[in-house]
C-alpha cells in the first residue's frame, strides 16, 4: 500500500515560463447554444448488470450501511463483471506489469511527483496555503483558481492518504468557491481570482468540478471517516448530488440534463449540450451504491454514458470533440475555437472509459474505443517514431497544433487498462519516463500527470469497496 504522510509547507515563489502545451477546463457562458437532445440512442455496450434485492444472500457485491470509514451506506446492490476491480478488489500496477520498475520504484516515482506538485518550489507547486487551515490549487497559465483543480487536488490527496491537505482544500472550496445564495446556491464557481478575498471571476459551475468533489468526498468518508460540519464528507457529497439531479430554478437547472440523463456543459444554458470528458460512468456506478437517494438513476446514467461514448467517437480515428450534443455530434461555440475538435478537455475521455472498463464494466465497446484511439496515436510518426502525436486534432485526424501535451501522454497511459493490444505498453512507458510538469503549464498538465500515475500504478483505488486489496 502506498502511504505518504507529508508536512504541509507554506509555499511562495516566482512563476517561471516554459513553452509547452497546456491548460484545461472551460467556462460556462449562458449564451452558448446547441439543440437539446434526447437520451443517447447509440448502440448499447456489452456491459450488463443486474439489480438484486438488498436482502439477497447471493449478491456478489454490496455496501453495508455504516457510518464508519469502511463504506458509505446504501441498500442498492448490483452484480458487476467478475474480473472487474470492484469485484476482485485488485487494481493493476501497469508499471510493474510491463516491467518498467519494481514496486518500490513505482512508489518512489508517485511519491516524488506528489511532493513536487503539492509541496515543491514556486515553479513546481500548484498548492498554496491560506492561513492555518486552508489551501487552494493555482493555475498559473490562466492566473486563477478553478473548481476543476480544487477537486482534482482533493482526489489526489485522498489517494495519497493526505487528509490534512484534503481538508485544507475542501475548507477553501466551501468558504470561497461554493455559492451561498441565489439560484446557483450549492454549486461551485468554476473560476476565482487568486488574490484575497478570492472573488469569483465566473460564478457559474463547470460540472466536472462537482463530479470530482463528490467522488473525492465519498472516498474520504470511506478511507478516514466523516467528521462534523464542513468535514462531514458523506453529507456534503450527498448534498451536492441532490443539486446535480434536482435543482430547478427559473434560470439554473440541474447538472444532469433531465431528458438526456447526461451531464451538461453548463446548467445555465437555454439549449444545453455536454462535454464528453465530463462523462464518468465509473463514478456514477459508485454513486448508485453509496448515495442516499437516486441510486437507480445513477446506475442508469452510467450505461447512458457508455452508450454516449460510442456515439461521440469518430468512426475512424476514435477522437472525441471538446463539446457535443447529447447524441454525440460535435458542437461549435463562439468562445472556444476548438470546441468541435479534439483538444485539452478531450484528452481525459480515454481515461474515463478505461477507468470504467477496469473498475466495473469490462465493456467490449469501451475496449474497442480505447484501442481505436491508441491506434490513431500510435500511427502518428510510425513506423520510424510511433506515438509522436500532438495536443490538438480535428476529429478526422488533422494535426492542429505543433506541440505535444503531458496531459495526453498521461491519459493515454491510463487507456492501457482497457486495451489488449501490445502497443498499449508503449503508452505506459511514455508516462513512466515523462518528467513531472513544472513552470507555467504545470496546473493542468501536472494534475493530469499525477492522476495518470495513480491509475497506472494501481494506486487510484475504490476506497469503500469491501473487496479492496490495499
Amino acid at each position: 500500500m502506498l502511504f505518504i504522510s507529508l508536512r504541509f509547507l507554506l509555499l511562495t515563489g516566482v512563476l517561471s515560463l516554459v513553452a509547452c502545451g497546456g491548460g484545461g477546463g472551460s467556462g460556462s457562458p449562458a449564451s452558448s447554444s446547441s439543440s437539446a437532445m434526447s437520451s443517447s440512442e447509440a448502440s448499447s455496450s456489452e456491459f450488463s448488470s443486474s439489480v438484486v434485492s438488498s436482502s439477497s444472500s447471493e449478491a456478489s457485491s454490496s455496501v453495508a450501511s455504516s457510518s464508519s470509514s469502511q463504506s458509505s451506506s446504501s441498500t442498492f446492490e448490483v452484480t458487476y463483471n467478475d474480473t472487474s476491480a470492484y469485484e476482485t478488489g485488485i487494481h493493476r500496477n501497469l508499471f510493474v506489469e510491463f516491467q518498467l520498475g519494481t514496486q518500490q520504484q513505482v512508489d518512489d516515482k508517485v511519491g516524488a511527483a506528489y511532493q513536487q506538485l503539492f509541496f515543491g518550489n514556486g515553479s513546481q507547486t500548484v498548492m498554496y496555503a491560506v492561513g492555518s487551515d486552508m489551501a487552494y490549487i493555482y493555475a498559473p497559465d490562466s492566473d486563477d483558481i478553478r473548481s476543476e483543480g480544487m477537486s482534482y487536488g482533493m482526489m489526489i490527496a485522498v489517494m495519497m492518504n493526505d487528509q490534512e491537505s484534503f481538508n485544507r482544500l475542501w475548507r477553501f472550496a466551501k468558504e470561497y468557491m461554493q455559492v451561498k445564495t441565489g439560484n446557483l446556491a450549492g454549486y461551485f464557481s468554476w473560476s476565482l481570482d487568486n488574490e484575497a478575498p478570492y472573488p469569483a471571476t465566473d460564478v457559474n459551475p463547470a460540472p466536472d468540478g462537482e463530479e470530482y468533489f463528490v467522488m473525492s468526498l465519498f472516498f474520504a468518508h470511506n478511507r478516514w471517516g466523516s467528521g462534523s460540519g464542513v468535514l462531514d464528507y458523506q453529507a456534503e457529497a450527498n448534498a451536492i448530488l441532490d443539486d446535480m439531479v434536482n435543482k430547478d430554478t427559473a434560470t439554473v437547472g440541474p447538472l444532469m440534463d433531465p431528458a438526456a440523463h447526461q451531464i451538461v456543459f453548463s446548467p445555465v444554458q437555454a439549449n444545453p449540450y455536454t462535454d464528453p470528458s465530463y462523462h464518468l460512468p465509473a463514478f456514477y456506478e459508485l454513486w448508485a451504491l453509496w448515495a442516499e437517494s437516486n441510486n437507480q438513476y445513477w446506475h442508469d446514467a452510467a450505461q447512458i454514458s457508455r452508450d454516449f461514448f460510442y456515439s461521440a467517437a469518430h468512426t475512424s480515428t476514435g477522437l472525441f470533440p471538446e463539446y457535443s450534443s447529447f447524441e454525440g455530434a460535435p458542437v461549435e461555440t463562439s468562445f472556444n475555437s476548438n470546441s468541435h475538435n479534439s483538444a485539452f478537455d478531450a484528452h481525459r475521455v480515454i481515461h474515463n472509459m478505461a477507468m470504467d472498463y477496469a473498475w466495473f464494466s469490462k465493456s467490449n465497446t469501451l475496449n474497442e474505443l480505447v484501442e481505436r484511439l491508441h491506434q490513431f496515436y500510435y500511427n502518428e510518426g510510425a513506423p520510424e517514431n510511433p506515438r509522436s502525436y500532438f495536443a490538438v486534432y480535428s476529429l478526422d485526424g488533422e494535426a492542429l497544433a505543433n506541440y505535444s501535451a503531458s496531459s495526453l501522454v498521461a491519459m493515454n497511459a491510463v487507456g492501457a487498462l482497457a486495451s489488449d493490444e501490445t502497443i498499449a505498453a508503449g503508452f505506459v512507458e511514455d508516462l513512466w519516463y515523462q518528467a513531472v510538469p513544472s513552470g507555467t503549464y504545470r496546473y493542468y498538465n501536472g494534475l493530469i500527470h499525477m492522476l495518470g500515475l495513480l491509475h497506472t500504478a494501481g494506486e487510484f483505488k475504490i476506497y469503500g469497496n469491501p473487496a479492496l486489496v490495499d
Side-chain angles (χ1 to χ4, degrees), residues 241-264:
L241 279 183
D242 184 67
D243 278 338
M244 287 177 64
V245 176
N246 297 317
K247 181 178 281 292
D248 184 16
T249 72
T251 57
V252 181
L255 300 188
M256 296 295 292
D257 184 81
H261 213 136
Q262 294 180 39
I263 193 77
V264 299

Side-chain angles (χ1 to χ4, degrees), residues 155-169:
M155 183 66 79
I156 291 166
V158 72
M159 293 301 155
M160 296 300 295
N161 203 19
D162 184 357
Q163 189 175 13
E164 181 181 3
S165 294
F166 182 96
N167 287 347
R168 288 174 181 269
L169 293 169

Side-chain angles (χ1 to χ4, degrees), residues 91-103:
H91 293 265
R92 294 168 61 194
N93 184 333
L94 298 182
F95 294 133
V96 171
E97 194 173 309
F98 294 139
Q99 300 182 335
L100 292 165
T102 65
Q103 183 63 58

